[in-house]
């Protein structure tokens, strides 16, 4: 998520609503769906307080008249809607709210711990080892092939 940010997050008692607004857009591009999908995956996998929470992703195109529709993208359900549909999505969602305890302050302060990149992983893996240890490790891996 480096250099990217979620447009809107709404925290309810039992869900995290993620809304990505596409200002000036008439249709729902694959790129926009991927962006929202990645936000959801990052929250689900790397944001501590988002784990095991239901996440409702919404993609809104400001120039579209599309009524809200569910769209399976990869392995998650996105809600696609035009400019007039957000109210309907949130109103329908409100009817289904469960009354669970959700500590919103903990969510806001929660750690975001993405996996390290390949270089950092290698550094962590071989930290404190000298060159001969690393070479032996590589040689042992060749034997397994």
């Amino acid at each position: 998520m480096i250099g990217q940010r979620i447009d809107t997050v709404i925290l309810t008692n039992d869900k995290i609503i993620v809304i990505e607004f596409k200002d000036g857009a008439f249709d729902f591009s694959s790129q926009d769906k991927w962006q929202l999908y990645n936000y959801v995956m990052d929250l689900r996998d790397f944001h501590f307080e988002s784990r095991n929470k239901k996440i409702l992703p919404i993609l809104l195109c400001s120039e579209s008249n599309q009524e809200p529709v569910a769209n399976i993208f990869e392995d998650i359900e996105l809600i696609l809607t035009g400019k007039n549909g957000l109210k309907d999505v949130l109103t329908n969602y409100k009817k289904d709210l469960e009354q669970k305890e959700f500590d919103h302050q903990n969510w806001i302060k929660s750690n975001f711990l993405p996996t390290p990149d390949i270089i950092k992983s290698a550094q962590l893996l071989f930290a404190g080892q000298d060159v001969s240890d690393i070479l032996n490790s590589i040689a042992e891996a060749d034997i397994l092939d």
Side-chain angles (χ1 to χ4, degrees):
M1 290 180 70
I2 295 173
Q4 295 187 6
R5 61 169 175 74
I6 298 171
D7 288 338
T8 302
V9 174
I10 300 172
L11 303 175
T12 68
N13 288 345
D14 66 337
K15 273 196 183 83
I16 301 164
I17 301 172
V18 176
I19 306 173
E20 180 62 26
F21 292 92
K22 293 301 171 184
D23 189 35
F26 289 89
D27 59 353
F28 305 91
S29 74
S30 182
Q31 178 181 347
D32 296 338
K33 292 176 187 177
W34 272 112
Q35 182 181 8
L36 183 56
Y37 174 85
N38 285 323
Y39 289 153
V40 171
M41 294 298 101
D42 285 344
L43 283 175
R44 184 192 77 183
D45 296 338
F46 305 127
H47 185 257
F48 185 78
E49 288 293 324
S50 294
R51 292 180 307 152
N52 303 315
K53 300 277 193 291
K54 295 176 186 174
I55 301 174
L56 176 65
I58 301 170
L59 180 59
L60 187 145
C61 290
S62 69
E63 301 305 313
S64 172
N65 291 318
Q66 170 73 49
E67 294 294 320
V69 62
N71 178 260
I72 302 298
F73 186 80
E74 292 300 306
D75 58 347
I76 66 169
E77 182 177 277
L78 306 178
I79 302 298
L80 309 179
T81 189
K83 57 187 169 189
N84 299 320
L86 184 59
K87 179 180 176 183
D88 291 339
V89 172
L90 296 177
T91 299
N92 288 334
Y93 165 71
K94 187 177 176 184
K95 293 176 189 174
D96 297 329
L97 270 178
E98 297 175 24
Q99 296 303 314
K100 292 183 178 179
E101 187 72 23
F102 188 166
D103 190 332
H104 299 85
Q105 288 301 318
N106 280 349
W107 189 90
I108 291 167
K109 295 175 186 174
S110 180
N111 288 329
F112 181 77
L113 302 169
T115 55
D117 61 33
I118 193 70
I119 302 299
K120 186 66 173 172
S121 296
Q123 289 172 336
L124 292 170
L125 182 63
F126 294 112
Q129 296 184 24
D130 63 25
V131 174
S132 62
D133 292 332
I134 296 170
L135 290 175
N136 288 338
S137 175
I138 293 170
E140 291 170 6
D142 288 340
I143 295 171
L144 297 175
D145 289 336

